[in-house]
Amino acid sequence: MPPRLRALGCPVDAPTDTLTAQLTAAQLPPAGFCLAISHTGATRTTVDAARRARRAGASVVTITSYARSPLSETSSHVLVAGGQDLVFGLETSASRIARPAGSPASPRSTP
């Protein structure tokens, strides 16, 4: 993915070492963003890097299979792609759309 973002003119860094990823995330400018990808949304090293990016003031964009996860709670924007998101034991198709972090995974009706 970095070559494609570079082709669009975006300055990109994609460290493969987890410590370097965390240090790089901590140095992101407020106008920068961190793209965090985790199937479960609970991969500790990915969540730690995302938290460091948020503390630095950068936006965190997450791609995960689960709308409710430590990573999605840390993120500015979440794209739920694939997998199942179980809410009260039921899979919700509404949770499979992009949504701002912190918003409910699925709309609920109030009595």
Side-chain angles (χ1 to χ4, degrees):
M1 185 170 348
R4 291 181 184 180
L5 293 173
R6 282 189 193 106
L8 294 172
C10 299
V12 177
D13 191 5
T16 56
D17 174 65
T18 57
L19 180 58
T20 304
Q22 290 180 23
L23 294 172
T24 302
Q27 296 176 358
L28 285 169
F33 75 93
C34 172
L35 177 61
I37 302 171
S38 170
H39 168 64
T40 64
T43 307
R44 184 180 194 127
T45 55
T46 305
V47 174
D48 288 347
R51 286 182 178 148
R52 287 176 185 251
R54 281 301 291 239
R55 276 190 234 126
S59 295
V60 176
V61 178
T62 291
I63 300 173
T64 185
S65 295
Y66 296 90
R68 294 184 179 175
S69 67
L71 186 57
S72 64
E73 291 171 9
T74 302
S75 302
S76 316
H77 306 281
V78 177
L79 175 62
V80 179
Q84 296 183 49
D85 186 24
L86 299 178
V87 179
F88 301 109
L90 301 172
E91 182 180 348
T92 60
S93 60
S95 67
R96 293 194 190 311
I97 59 173
R99 65 174 180 80
S103 64
S106 61
R108 291 189 185 187
S109 57
T110 53

